[in-house]
Amino acid sequence: MALLRSIAISSNKTITLARSARSLTTATLPPLPYSYDALEPVISGEIMMLHHQKHHQTYVTNYNSALELLHTAMDKGDVSAVVGLQSAVKFNGGGHINHSIFWKNLRPVNAGGGEPPHKKLGWQIDTDFGSFNALISKMNAEGAALQGSGWVWLAFDKELKRLKVETTANQDPLVTKGATLVPLLGIDVWEHAYYLQYKNVKLEYLKNIWKIINWEYAGEVYEKEAQ
Amino acid sequence: MALRSVVSRKTLAPALRHYRSLTTFTLPDLPYDYGALEPAISGEIMRLHHQKHHQTYVTNYNKALEQLDAAVSKGDAKGVVQLQSALKFNGGGHVNHSIFWQNLKPVSEGGGEPPHGALGWAIDKDFGSLEALVKKINSEGAALQGSGWVWLALDKEQKILKVETTPNQDPLVTKGVSLVPLLGVDVWEHAYYLQYKNVRPDYLTNIWKVINWKYASEVYEKESA
């Protein structure tokens, strides 16, 4: 008994050593699938450049910093530090997730941006909102009414098998509103997303962004998740 | 006995309630020209910030107040509760920006001159030095996630100065009923983006050149009496 127990204890220590060899995968800024000015006149090249190279890059950089600190805290078994890091992980990790989706949600007009959704997603929109225009009205209203910084989402609820419009605050990813929610389309309503061009008139930005929405991508995600 | 039934609360109360009047709000004037805080804050930002952002908070606060008044008169509890978000956001926006315009002053009129007297001593006592306070406010302002404000507050109860942050348009009092705002710095992107783009720390570094410490001192001395 005692021999077995001491072998078990020593193997626990070996397992602990193996934990330190645990690897860390860091994030990188994804390239934009189009040039910075390709979404003009809807979103200016200046905004796209700053939004991608400065804002999104900063989320990636700070997420990686938080991950390194988290990795160390976990190695040390420092529960207080692990919990203390969650705010930075959520904000910066969320910023990275959200913006990575956003760049795919947009598309230059000459590459199909703005073309309405067809097939399954088109029908689902009619089923759940009455019409395509009703969905746009709803998203614009929720985006305009959002207090402070955040995102407005077209979400697919995998469990209820229906579409929903949701908002999240700051850089909270859609999943914080429900574990079964899949983001099809997200619109950034932080002031940095539009201010240089639209100033305080958030609603103008929202009305115009539909001209460059990439419904093809949203349709692909929907069809994959709705199986 | 008959008199008592005539002047019962039921007969008086509705009449009294109808005579309650509603005070609405107006955009306060800026105590300086839009361009007077340059180069720390551009005239374009000041104009948009005052004429568009603050005005919208005033307009929407008044709307919410009218709706609140109607809901209260009808005894519509659900309506009253639902209006709280609009009241807090727009009322808070009005409260916060009204303080902010007084917290700023052109250099030619004393903007940026460090605090003297009682507030100067309190800052040294509670933070070590003015530089330490500025550093703390800048660091908290830069780290604020999303939109919000960073405050130099006087805690009237504990009689000490504190640095606090509030999200969105939450007024300082939401962080503690005994907190008095001496100085608020708006860190919403609209407060700096046209000029400083994503570099919020540069905005924070520069705003101290136009901070009106005289106003902060006046409030401090009045509230710590």
Side-chain angles (χ1 to χ4, degrees), chain A residues 47 143-146 148 189-206, chain B residues 44-57 59-60 188-191 193-194:
Chain A
I47 286 180
L146 194 147
V189 292
W190 280 63
E191 286 173 330
H192 65 242
Y194 61 88
Y195 206 89
L196 290 178
Q197 188 176 350
Y198 294 93
K199 310 297 193 295
N200 61 299
V201 197
K202 193 197 313 184
L203 192 57
E204 272 307 297
Y205 159 70
L206 287 166
Chain B
E44 189 188 17
I45 287 179
M46 289 306 294
R47 185 184 55 84
L48 284 164
H49 207 169
H50 183 246
Q51 281 183 8
K52 304 290 179 186
H53 293 273
H54 190 174
Q55 177 65 70
T56 301
Y57 290 125
T59 303
N60 290 345
W188 279 63
E189 286 172 329
H190 65 242
Y193 207 88
L194 290 177

Side-chain angles (χ1 to χ4, degrees), chain A residues 10-28:
Chain A
S10 61
S11 62
N12 215 358
K13 284 191 192 146
T14 2
I15 292 167
T16 312
L17 283 171
R19 258 189 241 132
S20 305
R22 192 181 84 242
S23 67
L24 176 69
T25 306
T26 51
T28 48

Side-chain angles (χ1 to χ4, degrees), chain A residues 30-36 48-49 52 103:
Chain A
L32 236 46
Y34 33 78
S35 61
Y36 287 129
M48 290 307 293
M49 196 259 306
H52 182 248
W103 308 138

Side-chain angles (χ1 to χ4, degrees), chain A residues 90 168-169 172-179 181:
Chain A
K90 178 172 159 182
T168 56
D172 293 3
L174 177 62
V175 74
T176 59
K177 277 291 181 88
L181 296 175

Side-chain angles (χ1 to χ4, degrees), chain B residues 38-215:
Chain B
E38 286 184 352
I41 306 177
S42 73
E44 189 188 17
I45 287 179
M46 289 306 294
R47 185 184 55 84
L48 284 164
H49 207 169
H50 183 246
Q51 281 183 8
K52 304 290 179 186
H53 293 273
H54 190 174
Q55 177 65 70
T56 301
Y57 290 125
V58 170
T59 303
N60 290 345
Y61 181 52
N62 287 337
K63 237 183 259 173
L65 278 180
E66 308 255 355
Q67 291 173 319
L68 180 69
D69 201 46
V72 168
S73 300
K74 283 192 277 171
D76 178 4
K78 183 161 164 250
V80 169
V81 172
Q82 277 180 317
L83 282 161
Q84 296 313 302
S85 172
L87 287 165
K88 178 170 159 186
F89 184 63
N90 293 293
H94 174 50
V95 165
N96 295 339
H97 287 87
S98 300
I99 296 167
F100 189 48
W101 310 137
Q102 294 175 287
N103 287 152
L104 306 172
K105 197 145 204 172
V107 173
S108 60
E109 293 173 42
E113 268 176 40
H116 303 295
L119 179 56
W121 301 328
I123 287 171
D124 288 345
K125 173 174 81 66
D126 294 331
F127 297 100
S129 66
L130 179 63
E131 289 69 37
L133 169 62
V134 168
K135 200 161 163 226
K136 188 171 171 68
I137 289 180
N138 287 353
S139 141
E140 302 242 356
L144 194 147
Q145 296 179 356
S147 307
W149 291 75
V150 55
W151 303 94
L152 172 62
L154 166 67
D155 188 322
K156 277 200 295 189
E157 197 180 80
Q158 298 174 0
K159 297 196 193 317
I160 100 162
L161 297 173
K162 288 178 178 172
V163 171
E164 289 283 350
T165 60
T166 55
N168 298 340
Q169 292 300 348
D170 292 7
L172 177 62
V173 75
T174 58
K175 277 290 180 90
V177 290
S178 55
L179 296 176
V180 177
L182 304 182
L183 215 143
V185 179
D186 190 346
V187 292
W188 279 63
E189 286 172 329
H190 65 242
Y192 61 88
Y193 207 88
L194 290 177
Q195 189 175 349
Y196 294 94
K197 311 296 193 299
N198 61 299
V199 196
R200 194 195 288 178
D202 280 359
Y203 159 69
L204 288 166
T205 300
N206 279 289
I207 202 171
W208 298 101
K209 300 172 185 169
V210 290
I211 288 293
N212 182 5
W213 283 109
K214 190 157 158 249
Y215 169 78

Side-chain angles (χ1 to χ4, degrees), chain A residues 9 31 35 47 73 94 100 110 138 152 158 204-205 210 214 227:
Chain A
I9 289 167
S35 61
I47 286 180
S100 299
N110 60 19
K138 188 170 170 69
V152 56
K158 280 199 294 189
E204 272 307 297
Y205 159 70
W210 299 102
N214 182 4
Q227 274 164 9

